[in-house]
Amino acid sequence: MQISLSDMKPLARSLTGFNGSSEMVLGTILLRVHAQGVTKTIKFSVVDVRTPYNAILGTPWIHAMKAIPSTYHQCAKLLGNDGRVITLRGDQAAAGDLLIAEEEIFEIIIDEHDPSKTVRVGTYLSDETKDQIIAFMKENISTFAWSTNDMKGIDPNITTHELNVDPTFKPVRQKRRKLGPK
């Protein structure tokens, strides 16, 4: 984004990404965000990770702009400086590419004699990190439980899941939701 980080204030906390990974925040920085003629200064958390986007405009920006977001329509409505309602539209092609990028994972077979012992690795990891994970998994293959059968002596209640449902309640059938092919 070609921004000088000299104004960044150090901050020690972590953020959880969309992929579930936890990243340490390097600090926070105040940046002016200009959207359709409306400019607000917003505090951003800075992390050092590879992503397909430069910034995420979250609830602080939504509240500052008094915007009404719609993830379904991939847009946000807000009032312009002149009082008119402005619609900011998302880039659907870019959002689709992002979803495809998140799904780009591949499986690595750790044990050549047992193809069920595989690890799913995301493409967002560097080759060096992938190699380190594979080496670690191969070195410690006997440590990992690849199925519940591998956990001898452990109570099955730890690996099973039950729903605490009142049998006197009638099940609710929800309306079918159609999803696009992508």
Side-chain angles (χ1 to χ4, degrees):
M1 291 180 62
Q2 299 176 347
I3 296 170
S4 171
L5 297 179
S6 60
D7 293 332
M8 185 175 71
K9 293 181 183 168
L11 177 68
R13 77 167 212 233
S14 65
L15 287 178
T16 302
F18 295 128
N19 61 3
S21 68
S22 185
E23 303 294 338
M24 287 305 297
V25 174
L26 300 176
T28 59
I29 190 168
L30 292 173
L31 299 174
R32 295 178 56 77
V33 177
H34 182 77
Q36 295 286 340
V38 181
T39 304
K40 298 282 182 184
T41 301
I42 305 295
K43 185 189 331 183
F44 286 89
S45 296
V46 179
V47 291
D48 185 18
V49 281
R50 285 181 26 202
T51 62
Y53 38 80
N54 291 329
I56 299 173
L57 298 172
T59 50
W61 179 83
I62 291 168
H63 288 208
M65 298 294 280
K66 297 180 182 162
I68 301 170
S70 171
T71 54
Y72 180 79
H73 297 99
Q74 293 186 4
C75 70
K77 294 203 179 253
L78 55 113
L79 286 177
N81 290 335
D82 58 1
R84 290 185 308 137
V85 175
I86 299 168
T87 302
L88 295 175
R89 298 219 172 267
D91 184 341
Q92 291 183 350
D97 292 344
L98 175 60
L99 289 174
I100 291 167
E102 286 180 355
E103 292 172 359
E104 287 179 359
I105 53 177
F106 57 93
E107 292 187 351
I108 299 168
I109 298 173
I110 300 299
D111 185 353
E112 293 80 18
H113 304 295
D114 186 355
S116 69
K117 295 183 179 176
T118 61
V119 177
R120 294 172 54 119
V121 180
T123 57
Y124 55 86
L125 295 174
S126 69
D127 289 339
E128 181 183 343
T129 303
K130 288 177 200 170
D131 292 342
Q132 288 174 347
I133 290 170
I134 294 165
F136 178 80
M137 297 290 285
K138 285 184 176 183
E139 196 175 300
N140 299 287
I141 196 165
S142 63
T143 307
F144 297 99
W146 298 92
S147 72
T148 54
N149 295 334
D150 292 342
M151 297 188 285
K152 306 283 187 227
I154 295 179
D155 185 355
N157 289 330
I158 293 173
T159 61
T160 57
H161 174 73
E162 291 182 20
L163 293 176
N164 188 11
V165 178
D166 188 335
T168 62
F169 286 19
K170 185 179 177 183
V172 176
R173 184 178 191 156
Q174 292 185 343
K175 207 174 183 181
R176 182 176 161 210
R177 297 182 188 146
K178 293 184 178 180
L179 300 174
K182 284 187 179 180

